[in-house]
């Protein structure tokens, strides 16, 4: 998949969880912010500042969103929303390529 867009890209990667998650921050011409990255197979807990939409490009994971009693499964081509000022658990079972849209 290839997309063409006008954006400012932070070329220095954001590296989290001992390299299990690596992303790059983007700011589009309209001022919207996104990150593009990869999460290697692992179980992690992420915290949010702003609301986010995680768009999964490729891979598979299970996610436990705030307030959810059960884990939900997602794969490439799907997305899920996370509220701001919250935390969610993610278990990546196949390397996950994603675009995070800050809403």
């Amino acid at each position: 998949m290839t997309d063409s867009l006008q954006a400012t890209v932070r070329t220095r990667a954001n590296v989290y969880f001992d390299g299990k998650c690596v992303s790059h921050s983007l700011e589009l011409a309209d001022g919207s912010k996104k990150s593009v990255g990869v999460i290697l197979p692992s179980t992690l807990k992420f915290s949010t500042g702003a609301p986010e939409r995680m768009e999964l490009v490729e891979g598979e994971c299970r996610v436990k969103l705030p307030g959810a009693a059960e884990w939900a499964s997602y794969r490439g081509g799907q997305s899920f929303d996370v509220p701001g000022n919250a935390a969610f658990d993610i278990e990546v079972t196949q390397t996950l390529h994603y675009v995070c849209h800050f809403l």
Side-chain angles (χ1 to χ4, degrees):
M1 172 191 270
T2 303
D3 289 325
S4 178
L5 53 92
Q6 282 193 305
T8 301
V9 178
R10 277 191 212 264
T11 54
R12 184 177 176 107
N14 304 304
V15 180
Y16 305 101
F17 304 106
D18 297 321
K20 293 179 179 90
C21 177
V22 179
S23 69
H24 287 275
S25 299
L26 308 170
E27 184 170 343
L28 292 127
D30 67 3
S32 61
K33 296 181 180 185
K34 304 180 184 303
S35 66
V36 177
V38 63
I39 305 173
L40 300 176
S42 55
T43 301
L44 307 170
K45 180 182 271 311
F46 283 92
S47 296
T48 64
E52 303 177 359
R53 173 166 295 129
M54 289 288 290
E55 176 187 348
L56 308 182
V57 177
E58 185 178 319
E60 294 183 14
C61 66
R62 292 183 337 133
V63 176
K64 190 166 185 189
L65 293 168
E70 303 291 326
W71 290 79
S73 295
Y74 296 94
R75 62 180 4 175
Q78 297 180 309
S79 64
F80 60 90
D81 291 341
V82 183
N85 300 313
F88 68 97
D89 297 299
I90 186 167
E91 178 185 55
V92 175
T93 54
Q94 289 185 3
T95 299
L96 194 65
H97 300 263
Y98 69 89
V99 178
C100 180
H101 306 268
F102 298 98
L103 306 175

